[in-house]
Amino acid sequence: MNFKSLDITKLDRRTFLKVAAAMGAATFIGTYKADIVKALELSDTNIVWLEGADCCGCSESFLNAAYPDVIQAITRLGIYVGYHETLMMQQGVFVDGRLVGTSELNSELALEEYMTGKKPLDVLVIEGSIADGPEGSGMYTTVGGHPFKELVERCAKQASYVVAIGSCATYGGIPAAKGSVTGNMGAQFLQTAKGGFLGANYVSKAGLPVVNIPCCPAHPDWLTLTLASIIIGKGGLIELDRYNRPTVFFPPDYTIHENCPRRGFYDLGQLDTEFAEGHCLWKLGCKAPITHADCATRLWNASVNMCTQAGSPCIGCAEPVFPDGTSPFYVGMEMMSTLAGVDIDTIAKVAIGAAAVGVGAHAVRRIVMKENE
Ligand code: SF4
Ligand code: SF4
Ligand code: SF4
């Protein structure tokens, strides 16, 4: 089923169930059918959206969602954003060092109600990576004077589900890249290593690990559909890969290269050496052959375009090793000795899993090119 053109807010229940089945949840539907119908009518989901070391680009991406747009998602899916640091009109108001007002008027108090369990916290969305430094204090990233990591820890204890959005929150991203002195990390991973801030064994109240929706920024569909699946399916619709990415958006045995609009040029060997020549971007550093995401079929900007289509090589931002393992961004893989931390010649000669199968063929191209020089 093609999710690209779906407006999930307009689906009748029968179609929704088909969508759910296409997302790999056939057994779920049989078990929870009545709950799904009830949830569609009565869903009332409290979301707390925290931002740490981030650029706010993932919030902005979500606000630019098109099918459905953010208003539809909020009104039809019963999503109540109880706290969002960028979008909330009011922030903490202090008089003589003490918070004043009520939780309706004061975002600091509103957040406190979720962190203490006074209000139910259904979904915690984390944007931005989590600083541990200096010396374990977490003070390199603060919100309202509190270490960000403290807010994450308190909210994660109360949340039924936790969703990390963007490369920063999932795997550390740019704030945790080589040379960082802040001790930044993702919510449950640091690049490919499980653990991160909440630890390898963390599960939310509903029993799920942190659901990771990477990319820089994350596609709004990925978050909206994940939230819908969580709200309606009690998490049962979500199948995760080894890096906790929903496999429906980040298929383990599929790379962006397979459906790239420029794929025909690659197959013909028309590989550009300058930008804007209009052919394949392989020699300009395209990392789509090792990147698992549905960018080329879902498309971005309301299903209009995507990176390689627009002439920009994929920089592999859906992968846990981004950015260290996929950089330098605009250098062809032939020129790199390692890729995603693995020696390219080794990748070419030894099949080491789904990620390597795609790149293996390309690395063979590299070896053949070298041998013919
Ligand atoms: S993942 Fe990228 S877009 Fe999202 S907050 Fe981090 S730097 Fe910004
Ligand atoms: S290498 Fe990049 S630009 Fe070329 S076909 Fe593959 S995905 Fe498209
Ligand atoms: S095409 Fe590549 S760089 Fe662009 S959003 Fe998708 S994974 Fe990121």
Side-chain angles (χ1 to χ4, degrees), residues 47-56 58-59 81-88 91 107-108 110-112 114-115 121 123-130 141-144 146-159 161-166 168-170 187 197-198 223:
I47 291 183
V48 164
W49 187 308
L50 296 177
E51 283 182 70
D54 73 327
C55 75
C56 203
C58 288
S59 284
V81 184
Y83 182 88
H84 188 301
E85 278 148 27
T86 305
L87 302 182
M88 292 185 88
Q91 291 295 324
S107 60
E108 296 262 334
L111 183 59
E112 194 64 27
Y114 290 109
M115 292 195 298
L121 201 177
V123 184
L124 168 64
V125 177
I126 304 173
E127 178 182 2
S129 72
I130 301 155
T141 307
T142 61
V143 177
H146 306 286
F148 178 63
K149 73 172 197 174
E150 182 187 307
L151 304 184
V152 172
E153 187 175 22
R154 291 182 69 195
C155 286
K157 275 187 188 147
Q158 301 293 341
Y161 302 99
V162 179
V163 177
I165 179 171
C168 301
T170 50
F197 174 64
L198 291 171
L223 179 61

Side-chain angles (χ1 to χ4, degrees), residues 280-335:
C280 171
L281 304 163
W282 163 257
K283 282 191 170 178
L284 294 170
C286 186
K287 307 301 185 305
I290 55 131
T291 305
H292 302 84
D294 63 5
C295 301
T297 48
R298 179 174 304 283
L299 301 181
W300 287 69
N301 305 320
S303 306
V304 171
N305 210 334
M306 52 91 61
C307 298
T308 58
Q309 190 177 339
S312 173
C314 169
I315 57 174
C317 74
E319 293 301 320
V321 293
F322 169 84
D324 290 342
T326 62
S327 56
F329 294 145
Y330 303 123
V331 170
M333 288 196 233
E334 286 93 355
M335 306 299 288

Side-chain angles (χ1 to χ4, degrees), residues 256-257 260-263 266 279-282 286 288-289 308 362:
I256 296 166
H257 173 70
C260 173
R262 296 179 184 236
R263 177 59 191 258
Y266 175 87
H279 308 103
C280 171
L281 304 163
W282 163 257
C286 186
T308 58
H362 299 274

Side-chain angles (χ1 to χ4, degrees), residues 83 90-102 105-112 143-146:
Y83 182 88
Q90 82 283 5
Q91 291 295 324
V93 178
F94 293 84
V95 172
D96 293 336
R98 298 180 64 184
L99 284 167
V100 295
T102 67
L105 295 173
N106 191 315
S107 60
E108 296 262 334
L109 294 178
L111 183 59
E112 194 64 27
V143 177
H146 306 286

Side-chain angles (χ1 to χ4, degrees), residues 33-368:
K33 198 169 175 180
D35 281 353
I36 293 170
V37 174
K38 196 173 162 199
L40 277 171
E41 290 169 349
L42 302 174
S43 68
D44 186 10
T45 305
N46 286 304
I47 291 183
V48 164
W49 187 308
L50 296 177
E51 283 182 70
D54 73 327
C55 75
C56 203
C58 288
S59 284
E60 200 173 318
S61 179
F62 184 55
L63 289 172
N64 282 307
Y67 308 117
D69 66 31
V70 76
I71 302 297
Q72 288 171 321
I74 287 172
T75 54
R76 301 281 187 86
L77 285 172
I79 293 173
Y80 176 71
V81 184
Y83 182 88
H84 188 301
E85 278 148 27
T86 305
L87 302 182
M88 292 185 88
M89 281 195 296
Q90 82 283 5
Q91 291 295 324
V93 178
F94 293 84
V95 172
D96 293 336
R98 298 180 64 184
L99 284 167
V100 295
T102 67
S103 59
E104 280 71 37
L105 295 173
N106 191 315
S107 60
E108 296 262 334
L109 294 178
L111 183 59
E112 194 64 27
E113 290 191 338
Y114 290 109
M115 292 195 298
T116 54
K118 212 167 165 186
K119 276 187 184 167
L121 201 177
D122 300 309
V123 184
L124 168 64
V125 177
I126 304 173
E127 178 182 2
S129 72
I130 301 155
D132 195 43
E135 296 166 3
S137 68
M139 291 301 283
Y140 279 141
T141 307
T142 61
V143 177
H146 306 286
F148 178 63
K149 73 172 197 174
E150 182 187 307
L151 304 184
V152 172
E153 187 175 22
R154 291 182 69 195
C155 286
K157 275 187 188 147
Q158 301 293 341
S160 298
Y161 302 99
V162 179
V163 177
I165 179 171
S167 301
C168 301
T170 50
Y171 307 119
I174 292 168
K178 195 175 169 191
S180 168
V181 296
T182 51
N184 272 76
M185 60 192 106
Q188 204 167 18
F189 279 83
L190 177 55
Q191 298 203 338
T192 53
K194 198 164 186 187
F197 174 64
L198 291 171
N201 297 325
Y202 170 81
V203 288
S204 61
K205 273 188 171 174
L208 246 63
V210 176
V211 177
N212 282 333
I213 305 178
C215 271
C216 186
H219 195 299
D221 281 9
W222 297 332
L223 179 61
T224 308
L225 288 166
T226 298
L227 289 178
S229 303
I230 284 172
I231 292 164
I232 297 164
K234 300 184 192 306
L237 295 176
I238 301 284
E239 182 192 67
L240 303 177
D241 73 0
R242 62 185 167 144
Y243 301 121
N244 290 2
R245 297 175 292 191
T247 56
V248 65
F249 311 126
F250 306 94
D253 53 356
Y254 168 91
T255 66
I256 296 166
H257 173 70
E258 289 178 37
N259 284 98
C260 173
R262 296 179 184 236
R263 177 59 191 258
F265 296 120
Y266 175 87
D267 291 339
L268 290 170
Q270 294 179 337
L271 314 176
D272 291 350
T273 53
E274 299 284 341
F275 284 98
E277 287 180 344
H279 308 103
C280 171
L281 304 163
W282 163 257
K283 282 191 170 178
L284 294 170
C286 186
K287 307 301 185 305
I290 55 131
T291 305
H292 302 84
D294 63 5
C295 301
T297 48
R298 179 174 304 283
L299 301 181
W300 287 69
N301 305 320
S303 306
V304 171
N305 210 334
M306 52 91 61
C307 298
T308 58
Q309 190 177 339
S312 173
C314 169
I315 57 174
C317 74
E319 293 301 320
V321 293
F322 169 84
D324 290 342
T326 62
S327 56
F329 294 145
Y330 303 123
V331 170
M333 288 196 233
E334 286 93 355
M335 306 299 288
M336 297 169 68
S337 57
T338 62
L339 183 64
V342 182
D343 175 77
I344 284 199
D345 291 351
T346 305
I347 293 173
K349 291 171 182 160
V350 186
I352 58 166
V357 171
V359 77
H362 299 274
V364 166
R365 174 194 278 275
R366 168 183 184 256
I367 288 168
V368 169

